[in-house]
Amino acid sequence: METVVSGIRPTGQLHIGNYFGALRNFIKMQYDARCLFFIADYHALTTHPDPKSLRENVRSVLVEYLAAGLDPNVATIYVQSDVPQVAELQLLLSMHAYLGELERTPSFKEKARKQPDNVNAGLLCYPVLMAADILLHRADKVPVGKDQGQHLEMTRVFARRFNTIYNTDLFPESQAYNFGAELTKIPGLDGSGKMGKSEGNCLFLRDTDDVIRKKVMRATTDTGPTLPDSPVSEPVENLFTIMKSVSAPETLSQFQKAYADCSIRYGDLKKQLAEDIVASVAPIRERILEIESNPEYLKQVLGDGAAAARRSADETMCRVRELMGLC
Ligand code: ATP
Ligand code: MG
């Protein structure tokens, strides 16, 4: 069975972009592979979050993962810092990671530009830590968004280099997980290209039904089609795209037809869309509240996840230490 590793940074509440774009695929994937999902709290430290909010965000993401359907009886779910072996592997891999290649990483250059007064070494070594996250469990596959492709390539470089230097085949060449169908990008409700936390245009899994309805009713549209089969503007196309993820196919085609023959009323479209989003989000929100009120359960999930992840990490680290000449 293939091993799949995936991490998420605990930077705030999950939105329906995270859910329909990533999480929903992970939920299916957990039954097809040996999956390890971790909450990347070490990675989050590069931007110096205050300790209280970091702890709260880790907890909140964990709850949302579980509520959405990641199953701790099937997959291993853990917090990155509960498995300090990853820090050891990062240290060891960093001995063969070169300043030039780290400085050339596009994501490093971008971060350095965005936060010029905090270009710390953690930021520089981000790709090494990410490689350690993946190689710690000798992952075959990593489900990555388009923005992460570069890091996965670096992981393969570090793995190959290690294998060559120490004359081993310990590390696999981890590949992107292929979800089969094309990955959905959920757009924003403000007519913009992407729903994202930094965009501030999100529908959150924790939003109440009324908040969802209000946000959807306020979504950007246009003045409406006046000629049959006119091209669809971006804001309206965005609503159709979201509808494709949440509504029945007949609902979508009914509104697309109405658009084509100019009989569409955006108010009706939004009302239908809001109800369909509510129908898929409300059960998750209810489970969020339920799980949140059960700290014992959360503690147990984290304890079991950490133990399983450490076992997997120890197997790798034993070999790594031996190969590198450490006792
Ligand atoms: P930020 O704005 O800080 O980048 P984000 O809201 O984009 O945050 P991430 O933490 O970058 O969220 O992404 C977490 C996961 O959700 C990734 O797998 C990413 O590909 C996916 N994801 C995020 N936004 C969307 C979206 N709008 N559509 C589809 N997938 C998304
Ligand atoms: Mg993002």
Side-chain angles (χ1 to χ4, degrees):
M1 205 186 226
E2 282 181 333
T3 296
V4 181
V5 172
S6 172
I8 184 161
R9 282 169 307 135
T11 52
Q13 295 183 22
L14 296 184
H15 50 79
I16 65 164
N18 300 134
Y19 178 69
F20 289 107
L23 206 43
R24 199 170 54 160
N25 296 319
F26 295 174
I27 291 159
K28 288 191 209 123
M29 184 177 77
Q30 68 186 338
Y31 301 105
D32 301 332
R34 170 190 177 239
C35 287
L36 297 105
F37 298 105
F38 68 95
I39 301 171
D41 57 348
Y42 280 149
H43 283 288
L45 291 174
T46 55
T47 54
H48 303 169
D50 83 80
K52 186 165 168 281
S53 71
L54 178 59
R55 206 170 288 126
E56 280 169 6
N57 281 338
V58 167
R59 194 185 133 88
S60 140
V61 169
L62 171 70
V63 169
E64 290 166 7
Y65 258 29
L66 296 170
L70 287 191
D71 182 352
N73 295 312
V74 177
T76 299
I77 302 167
Y78 67 99
V79 177
Q80 190 183 25
S81 64
D82 277 341
V83 186
Q85 287 91 330
V86 76
E88 183 189 0
L89 184 57
Q90 192 234 11
L91 172 80
L92 299 180
L93 289 175
S94 74
M95 303 303 169
H96 298 292
Y98 294 95
L99 185 58
E101 63 189 341
L102 296 176
E103 280 176 339
R104 279 194 303 274
T105 317
S107 61
F108 173 71
K109 287 200 275 192
E110 193 195 320
K111 289 263 169 60
R113 197 167 37 77
K114 274 194 192 156
Q115 47 182 73
D117 45 2
N118 180 21
V119 188
N120 59 64
L123 210 52
L124 183 71
C125 294
Y126 203 104
V128 190
L129 183 55
M130 188 166 153
D133 290 325
I134 296 166
L135 297 176
L136 190 63
H137 307 291
R138 287 177 276 163
D140 305 292
K141 294 281 164 68
V142 185
V144 286
K146 286 202 182 80
D147 46 339
Q148 295 289 312
Q150 177 77 21
H151 284 147
L152 198 52
E153 181 53 40
M154 288 186 79
T155 299
R156 285 192 288 269
V157 169
F158 296 141
R160 238 178 268 141
R161 197 174 286 163
F162 185 95
N163 287 352
T164 307
I165 294 171
Y166 299 103
N167 191 25
T168 176
D169 58 2
L170 178 64
F171 292 133
E173 296 213 356
S174 314
Q175 306 292 332
Y177 187 92
N178 181 1
F179 285 107
E182 207 184 309
L183 283 179
T184 335
K185 187 181 82 178
I186 301 292
L189 292 168
D190 50 359
S192 89
K194 177 183 177 274
M195 185 173 292
K197 280 182 292 267
S198 14
E199 271 72 31
N201 58 2
C202 297
L203 273 173
F204 295 104
L205 295 181
R206 289 174 188 261
D207 281 347
T208 62
D209 296 352
D210 281 344
V211 168
I212 293 173
R213 289 188 186 110
K214 270 196 199 112
K215 286 185 178 174
V216 174
M217 294 315 285
R218 277 202 307 260
T220 310
T221 49
D222 55 25
T223 51
T226 46
L227 290 171
D229 297 313
S230 14
V232 185
S233 68
E234 195 187 349
V236 177
E237 188 62 52
N238 287 350
L239 298 185
F240 285 150
T241 302
I242 302 178
M243 194 164 235
K244 199 170 167 192
S245 281
V246 297
S247 307
E250 309 81 67
T251 309
L252 175 65
S253 58
Q254 176 204 325
F255 281 102
Q256 281 172 328
K257 243 183 253 142
Y259 185 92
D261 66 21
C262 302
S263 68
I264 193 161
R265 285 168 32 191
Y266 290 144
D268 295 345
L269 169 71
K270 289 177 174 179
K271 260 191 212 132
Q272 180 70 47
L273 182 61
E275 290 320 308
D276 291 340
I277 295 174
V278 164
S280 45
V281 169
I284 300 178
R285 186 186 61 234
E286 274 155 32
R287 278 197 301 276
I288 288 175
L289 299 178
E290 205 177 292
I291 293 172
E292 220 152 34
S293 67
N294 193 346
E296 279 307 308
Y297 171 69
L298 281 178
K299 212 167 129 188
Q300 190 205 321
V301 167
L302 280 187
D304 293 351
R310 280 191 216 123
R311 268 196 306 278
S312 161
D314 278 334
E315 272 176 38
T316 306
M317 290 317 294
C318 244
R319 301 273 309 278
V320 170
R321 289 185 205 117
E322 194 188 323
L323 285 162
M324 292 184 84
L326 307 167
C327 332

